[in-house]
Amino acid sequence: MLSVRDLHVHYGGIHALQGISLEVPLGKVVTLIGANGAGKSSTLRAIAGLVRQKSGAILWKDRDLIHSSADDIVKSGIAMSPEGRRIFPQLTVRENLLLGAYIRNDAAEVENDLEWVYTLFPRMRERSWQKGGTLSGGEQQMLALGRALMSRPDLVMLDEPSLGLAPLLVKEVFDIIRTVNERGKTVLLVEQNAYAALKVAHYAYVLEVGNIVLQGTGEELIADPRVREAYLGG
Amino acid sequence: MSLEMFVQHLCNATTLGSLYALTAIGYTMVYGILRLINFAHGDIFMLGAYFVFFGGALFALPWGVAVIGAIILSTACGIMVDRVAYRPLRDAPRISALISSIGVSFLIENLAIVIFTAIPRPVHQPEWLSQVFLVGGVRILSLTLVVPAISFLLVAGLLWIVYKTKPGLAMRAISKDIETTRLMGVSVDKIIALTFGLGSALAAASGIMWALRYPQINPLMGIFPGFKAFIAAVLGGIGSIQGALIGGLLLGFIEILVVAFLPALSGYKDAFAFVLLIVILLIKPTGLMGEKLEEKV
């Protein structure tokens, strides 16, 4: 289980996270919802080790990751697909995926996982020698998801995976999140699309200006009038 | 001009161009990753030459051993410069690291004057480098064949590392997006150290061959070749390895041919390089092979 306790994050003078605590049980999908600037991305970035100014505890596999470096965190089994996909445009699809497996030294097993990702996303196989920058937005998102899986993480953090995608692709993204979770991966999901996120999530937290204001199972929050009004359009 | 003269100029131009190209690679790789002009790079070039000299003169090492030892030592120096002068400034504004690099450059040059003394020293040329071949009536110095050949092998090795190995893949990734490369589990500081190491090894090799060509060394010998290599990197498109190769060779040709065809202007050959730099920056600041700065969507 990933257990975040009293996490504070500062960006320059801004107190972006004001002591949040949350738990992600193994094998579950947990989602963070909230408005822009509520601190969802900051939470993921802090767990991934991309934020320097932070305090609190990030407990994972009997360790506290609060001061760990980003590469150590990946090695501990946490992978992240960042907001805006951030694939490497000048590298081929295959190279992007191999970078995802950078921490691994088992070349044969990496090839197996590459096969698995190609099965999950058949378009990636067709385009494996194409430069990442030539892919469409949806394909880039699939590539970013596949890349996050290539390190064989136990926990995958996805930051806005459906942002900017056509409705059909949004559905596909959520189907894949379900598939990945059924394959035993724990998922921590940040989404603007609150309804779809709550549908797929076992448990959810609502963030407002750096604080957790509400939490519950996905169904509970979908039914909650406050959530309905603020995030699900009434 | 006779054919013989022309071929000799061609050989000289290729030799000079290869040395510029080797040195330019270090500038361009560091720039590609950190957006930093490492002004201390030319001094690593000088250190390479001095280490060979001292390896031979003081420790009586066989020539080949002295060369390899010197390259290893210079590589370590390049990595140390990054560790001490640039890494603490990674999150600082870019100008801070640039100023730091100017400081390191002065420091190395003046330390070299103190430790090595400013007296120029003659360099021993192994015999096989000073032999003269007669090819179809053209006299060719073996050095002008060996330098481009070794440079070619070194560049081939570098390209193999950059395009065929995992650390090379990480290097190419860092040059586009450092933060996302961190998310892949890449230890970015190690890859940056590797980049400085590779660039320094090539600069040292270039400095050693430069010294053999003269054959003389002094503590400030890296300054002008360093500037020229920097100009070559800008000419080719800074950030691009292929650009550094093309820019280096091109600059070598321009310099030799200016001297050959306009002997009256040969005193201004260094000025030509800088005029070229100004012209490129005015006309095509991204250089011949440089990529356009992409707008983030």
Side-chain angles (χ1 to χ4, degrees):
Chain A
M1 176 159 77
L2 173 78
S3 174
V4 173
R5 291 190 195 156
D6 195 29
L7 180 64
H8 290 260
V9 164
H10 293 263
Y11 286 118
I14 299 161
H15 198 176
L17 290 183
Q18 302 166 2
I20 67 159
S21 298
L22 58 88
E23 287 186 341
V24 185
L26 285 184
K28 303 289 184 199
V29 178
V30 172
T31 186
L32 304 179
I33 60 172
N36 270 335
K40 297 169 297 182
S41 287
S42 298
T43 309
L44 294 198
R45 292 170 52 82
I47 298 170
L50 295 179
V51 181
R52 287 260 166 88
Q53 283 192 51
K54 56 181 189 273
S55 63
I58 299 167
L59 305 175
W60 170 251
K61 294 185 182 171
D62 306 322
R63 280 175 62 191
D64 186 355
L65 300 179
I66 192 81
H67 296 302
S68 298
S69 64
D71 53 302
D72 269 343
I73 290 168
V74 177
K75 283 173 196 141
S76 80
I78 300 180
M80 172 163 157
S81 163
E83 185 178 354
R85 311 186 265 272
R86 304 276 285 267
I87 56 135
F88 297 100
Q90 86 287 18
L91 302 182
T92 64
V93 167
R94 190 184 149 83
E95 283 174 329
N96 266 281
L97 292 171
L98 289 178
L99 260 178
Y102 189 83
I103 57 165
R104 295 172 52 187
N105 291 314
D106 45 346
E109 285 292 300
V110 169
E111 285 297 325
N112 278 344
D113 285 4
L114 213 52
E115 269 309 303
W116 176 52
V117 169
Y118 286 156
T119 326
L120 217 53
F121 311 106
R123 298 295 287 275
M124 296 301 110
R125 189 197 304 275
E126 291 164 30
R127 296 175 189 270
S128 65
W129 296 103
Q130 230 168 288
K131 293 232 162 107
T134 65
L135 301 185
S136 71
E139 289 165 342
Q140 290 190 5
Q141 184 58 59
M142 303 304 166
L143 180 56
L145 288 174
R147 188 180 63 180
L149 296 172
M150 285 298 294
S151 65
R152 278 206 180 165
D154 302 307
L155 169 66
V156 198
M157 301 195 291
L158 306 174
D159 197 350
E160 304 282 7
S162 79
L163 194 69
L165 298 185
L168 210 61
L169 286 167
V170 172
K171 185 182 173 299
E172 200 177 324
V173 164
F174 281 97
D175 286 344
I176 282 158
I177 292 171
R178 237 176 237 111
T179 313
V180 166
N181 177 241
E182 279 158 14
R183 295 282 298 241
K185 308 273 185 215
T186 309
V187 178
L188 178 54
L189 172 68
V190 157
E191 259 295 335
Q192 297 263 327
N193 189 339
Y195 183 74
L198 291 173
K199 286 287 269 190
V200 75
H202 298 103
Y203 203 80
Y205 294 87
V206 180
L207 273 156
E208 262 170 32
V209 283
N211 290 290
I212 287 174
V213 292
L214 213 58
Q215 55 180 287
T217 64
E219 293 106 50
E220 278 169 12
L221 289 191
I222 286 179
D224 191 301
R226 288 165 293 181
V227 173
R228 297 188 74 91
E229 184 169 356
Y231 303 106
L232 302 177
Chain B
M1 179 182 296
S2 67
L3 178 69
E4 182 185 342
M5 285 290 282
F6 185 73
V7 173
Q8 271 169 4
H9 285 312
L10 222 56
C11 287
N12 284 335
T14 317
T15 304
L16 186 64
S18 324
L19 295 179
Y20 286 153
L22 277 187
T23 317
I25 287 174
Y27 280 107
T28 222
M29 291 208 326
V30 165
Y31 183 86
I33 287 187
L34 294 178
R35 302 290 181 270
L36 163 73
I37 307 294
N38 174 19
F39 280 111
H41 193 57
D43 302 306
I44 302 290
F45 172 100
M46 175 271 294
L47 287 179
Y50 264 94
F51 289 150
V52 173
F53 174 80
F54 282 113
L58 283 186
F59 302 103
L61 295 173
W63 192 76
V65 177
V67 166
I68 291 171
I71 291 180
I72 292 171
L73 263 180
S74 316
T75 304
C77 288
I79 293 172
M80 212 167 69
V81 167
D82 168 53
R83 182 69 191 83
V84 174
Y86 306 146
R87 195 156 132 190
L89 296 170
R90 218 70 102 201
D91 294 329
R94 241 172 249 162
I95 189 83
S96 310
L98 187 76
I99 293 167
S100 182
S101 90
I102 295 171
V104 172
S105 171
F106 281 133
L107 179 72
I108 297 177
E109 284 156 20
N110 287 288
L111 271 180
I113 290 175
V114 173
I115 298 169
F116 305 149
T117 76
I119 306 161
R121 293 171 193 267
V123 170
H124 162 71
Q125 256 186 345
E127 262 173 38
W128 55 278
L129 282 176
S130 47
Q131 275 168 356
V132 175
F133 293 102
L134 265 176
V135 182
V138 182
R139 293 157 56 85
I140 295 175
L141 187 65
S142 57
L143 187 84
T144 62
L145 299 176
V146 170
V147 169
I150 291 180
S151 306
F152 178 82
L153 288 179
L154 290 175
V155 168
L158 176 84
L159 291 177
W160 181 80
I161 292 174
V162 171
Y163 288 99
K164 295 286 170 198
T165 68
K166 232 161 91 166
L169 181 60
M171 265 182 210
R172 286 181 287 144
I174 290 177
S175 70
K176 268 280 146 45
D177 188 342
I178 285 199
E179 187 174 83
T180 307
T181 311
R182 284 211 168 90
L183 283 180
M184 304 294 111
V186 174
S187 169
V188 166
D189 281 326
K190 276 187 201 154
I191 299 295
I192 292 175
L194 175 68
T195 309
F196 273 91
L198 287 172
S200 302
L202 294 184
S206 175
I208 293 165
M209 292 192 277
W210 185 278
L212 287 170
R213 186 169 164 268
Y214 252 124
Q216 186 220 71
I217 55 175
N218 71 73
L220 303 182
M221 64 177 275
I223 298 179
F224 262 80
F227 279 146
K228 301 279 189 62
F230 168 63
I231 293 170
V234 174
L235 171 63
I238 194 143
S240 150
I241 294 178
Q242 290 83 343
L245 298 176
I246 292 171
L249 286 171
L250 211 58
L251 191 63
F253 274 85
I254 292 171
E255 218 176 286
I256 296 283
L257 295 182
V258 163
V259 175
F261 288 102
L262 305 165
L265 294 179
S266 63
Y268 297 100
K269 70 178 164 75
D270 290 340
F272 266 97
F274 290 100
V275 170
L276 186 65
L277 174 67
I278 294 167
V279 172
I280 306 157
L281 289 177
L282 288 175
I283 296 174
K284 198 167 187 301
T286 52
L288 298 173
M289 307 279 291
E291 294 170 45
K292 274 200 196 126
L293 290 174
E294 282 164 49
E295 295 282 326
K296 288 237 162 141
V297 184

